[in-house]
């Protein structure tokens, strides 16, 4: 009797199983190798023509082959499923928004870039950079800046204290660095102080409880409001372009007298406030022991506000969400 070459059948089954790309194919393969049109079935039909002994031995052989085909298929199916779920799990564990292999370069955050750009503009006209701490004394944040504790301007922002005696707080403005610098340096002074500030503000499209400012201070003999105006107009033109229109409107800050706000005219004709400024109040210069022959001007500008205007960003939260689709545009 010519027997089927079962080794060949099992070898072809192995090859077939290796080609499977979809779980559903395992049922097809089972049918193909054990179903009614399979070679195995054809062999089974021959059994009735065999002698009793041959029927028994060949019958047993066919059963064994059937069992090994079925168990090979089941085993391959289980492996296939395990592999599929392990790779799914691995994929889900990865941050799929980041393609680390192709993204090898990095760059500075847009806020740092704008901060650098502003610092560069003032550095180019002789200003030095100064820094101060983010946790400040109430003296530097308020009193020395002509804002004693009865002053209404103090209540607007003095909520983020770090002690029970209300003596230290997260600074609400970079104006603190003016005081620190003047306490430790004699005039003349030409500094800018970039940094992070903290307010008890609610997050909305243009406000965040943590944001960035750049403070400027110029103290010398004979500095006038026209020097302030010329300096800030120069800055605005360097930053936004020669054609930008600016205007100064009166305002109040405890530490400057007179005080002003600078507005720029935007594309849609709207005037938008970008910074506060003024001539340094003589009380502030008294607090740091500067003699009366010195006077000067100061300003504070919000970095997020500048970046939002320059790049037409509609919500301040974009800066802090760290979404690469946003960050990579700069
Ligand atoms: N510190 C002010 C603020 O946070 C901004 C400011 C206004 C700073 C006028 C100044 C200035 O130095 O002269 O709103």
């Amino acid at each position: 009797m010519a027997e089927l070459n079962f080794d060949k059948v099992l070898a072809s089954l192995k090859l077939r199983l290796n080609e499977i790309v979809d779980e559903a194919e395992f049922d097809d393969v089972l049918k193909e190798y054990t179903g009614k049109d399979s070679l195995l079935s054809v062999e089974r039909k021959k059994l009735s023509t065999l002698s009793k002994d041959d029927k028994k031995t060949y019958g047993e052989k066919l059963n064994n082959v059937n069992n090994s085909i079925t168990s090979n298929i089941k085993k391959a199916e289980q492996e296939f499923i395990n592999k599929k779920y392990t790779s799914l799990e691995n994929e889900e564990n990865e941050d799929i928004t980041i393609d680390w292999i192709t993204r090898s370069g990095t760059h500075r955050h847009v806020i740092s870039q704008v901060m650098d750009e502003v610092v560069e503009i003032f550095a180019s006209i002789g200003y030095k950079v100064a820094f101060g701490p983010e946790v400040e004394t109430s003296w530097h944040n308020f009193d020395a800046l002509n804002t004693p504790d009865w002053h209404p301007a103090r209540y607007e922002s003095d909520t983020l204290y770090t002690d029970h005696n209300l003596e230290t707080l997260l600074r609400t403005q970079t104006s603190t660095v003016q005081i620190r610098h003047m306490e430790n340096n004699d005039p003349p002074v030409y500094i800018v102080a970039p940094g992070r500030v903290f307010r008890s503000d609610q997050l909305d499209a243009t406000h965040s409880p943590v944001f960035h400012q750049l403070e400027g201070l110029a103290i010398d003999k004979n500095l006038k409001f026209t020097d302030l105006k010329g300096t800030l107009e120069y800055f605005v033109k360097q930053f936004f372009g020669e054609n930008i229109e600016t205007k100064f409107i009166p305002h109040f800050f405890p530490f400057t007298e007179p005080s002003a706000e600078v507005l720029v005219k935007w594309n849609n004709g709207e005037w938008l406030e970008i910074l506060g400024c003024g001539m340094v109040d003589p009380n502030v210069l008294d607090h740091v022991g500067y003699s009366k022959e010195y006077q000067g001007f100061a300003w504070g500008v919000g970095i997020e506000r500048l970046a939002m205007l320059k790049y037409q960003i509609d919500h301040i939260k974009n800066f802090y969400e760290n979404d690469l689709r946003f960050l990579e545009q700069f």
Side-chain angles (χ1 to χ4, degrees):
M1 184 200 75
E3 280 191 11
L4 184 65
N5 184 337
F6 294 109
D7 289 340
K8 257 195 180 159
V9 174
L10 288 174
S12 90
L13 173 66
K14 276 220 170 89
L15 292 177
R16 178 73 181 86
L17 289 173
N18 279 340
E19 283 166 7
I20 286 187
V21 288
D22 185 337
E23 226 172 301
E25 286 179 61
F26 286 100
D27 281 345
D28 300 340
V29 177
L30 189 66
K31 236 185 249 161
E32 218 175 285
Y33 280 82
T34 63
K36 64 178 174 24
D37 296 325
S38 64
L39 287 175
L40 206 60
S41 254
V42 174
E43 291 306 295
R44 271 207 197 94
K45 277 179 200 139
K46 289 185 189 158
L47 285 176
S48 57
T49 64
L50 299 181
S51 69
K52 206 175 156 202
D53 282 350
D54 284 350
K55 199 192 255 173
K56 191 167 176 248
T57 37
Y58 199 47
E60 256 169 29
K61 196 161 192 183
L62 290 181
N63 276 345
N64 288 341
V65 173
N66 184 50
N67 289 343
S68 34
I69 290 175
T70 325
S71 72
N72 273 329
I73 295 176
K74 289 282 159 237
K75 199 169 141 219
E77 188 176 6
Q78 202 50 55
E79 278 168 7
F80 184 91
I81 293 171
N82 288 346
K83 214 162 147 188
K84 177 171 143 187
Y85 287 105
T86 325
S87 70
L88 266 182
E89 263 170 37
N90 289 342
E91 264 173 43
E92 281 163 10
N93 283 338
E94 279 168 23
D95 182 348
I96 54 167
T97 62
I98 298 174
D99 176 359
W100 291 111
I101 295 168
T102 53
R103 283 174 221 269
S104 52
T106 60
H107 66 274
R108 284 167 77 68
H109 190 280
V110 55
I111 292 297
S112 306
Q113 287 181 39
V114 170
M115 190 72 103
D116 288 351
E117 193 182 339
V118 177
V119 168
E120 280 297 322
I121 293 171
F122 287 109
S124 73
I125 51 172
Y127 284 79
K128 297 266 179 296
V129 180
F131 295 100
E134 292 178 350
V135 179
E136 255 301 356
T137 63
S138 304
W139 165 258
H140 290 96
N141 198 85
F142 293 121
D143 305 82
L145 286 161
N146 209 27
T147 318
D149 60 7
W150 50 263
H151 200 290
R154 194 149 163 163
Y155 303 120
E156 287 172 15
S157 53
D158 68 346
T159 53
L160 299 166
Y161 285 93
T162 56
D163 69 339
H164 292 298
N165 303 326
L166 309 185
E167 280 166 5
T168 47
L169 76 165
L170 298 182
R171 68 177 175 192
T172 63
Q173 50 189 355
T174 43
S175 305
T176 53
V177 187
Q178 295 185 15
I179 304 300
R180 286 192 174 270
H181 186 83
M182 289 191 287
E183 280 172 343
N184 295 312
N185 296 276
D186 291 329
V189 170
Y190 290 91
I191 55 154
V192 286
R196 198 156 35 172
V197 298
F198 307 83
R199 299 269 172 96
S200 54
D201 288 348
Q202 291 284 337
L203 182 73
D204 66 22
T206 54
H207 294 88
S208 155
V210 182
F211 63 101
H212 300 79
Q213 284 189 330
L214 177 125
E215 189 77 14
L217 176 70
I219 303 289
D220 210 333
K221 290 175 184 162
N222 300 319
L223 284 180
K224 303 184 184 65
F225 196 88
T226 46
D227 298 307
L228 158 67
K229 209 158 173 260
T231 304
L232 294 181
E233 274 174 354
Y234 170 79
F235 158 67
V236 172
K237 284 193 191 317
Q238 289 291 307
F239 186 79
F240 287 114
E242 276 300 315
N243 297 326
I244 193 92
E245 277 184 66
T246 52
K247 77 176 171 188
F248 287 68
I249 60 166
H251 199 75
F252 171 79
F253 295 104
F255 34 88
T256 42
E257 183 60 39
S259 304
E261 272 186 346
V262 176
L263 283 70
V264 294
K265 193 170 189 179
W266 211 238
N267 306 336
N268 58 5
E270 214 184 318
W271 287 99
L272 294 165
E273 180 250 314
I274 56 158
L275 60 83
C277 60
M279 300 305 290
V280 179
D281 193 296
N283 287 345
V284 174
L285 298 175
D286 263 2
H287 284 146
V288 295
Y290 275 19
S291 84
K292 294 261 184 282
E293 56 183 334
Y294 287 99
Q295 71 260 118
F297 56 88
W299 71 92
V301 56
I303 299 300
E304 278 81 349
R305 176 67 59 90
L306 289 181
M308 286 176 83
L309 286 171
K310 186 162 187 164
Y311 299 117
Q312 302 186 10
I313 294 161
D314 59 359
H315 204 295
I316 200 165
K317 69 176 183 192
N318 285 306
F319 295 123
Y320 318 121
E321 283 181 335
N322 281 337
D323 186 332
L324 285 178
R325 288 166 301 183
F326 171 79
L327 296 177
E328 287 187 334
Q329 295 175 62
F330 306 98

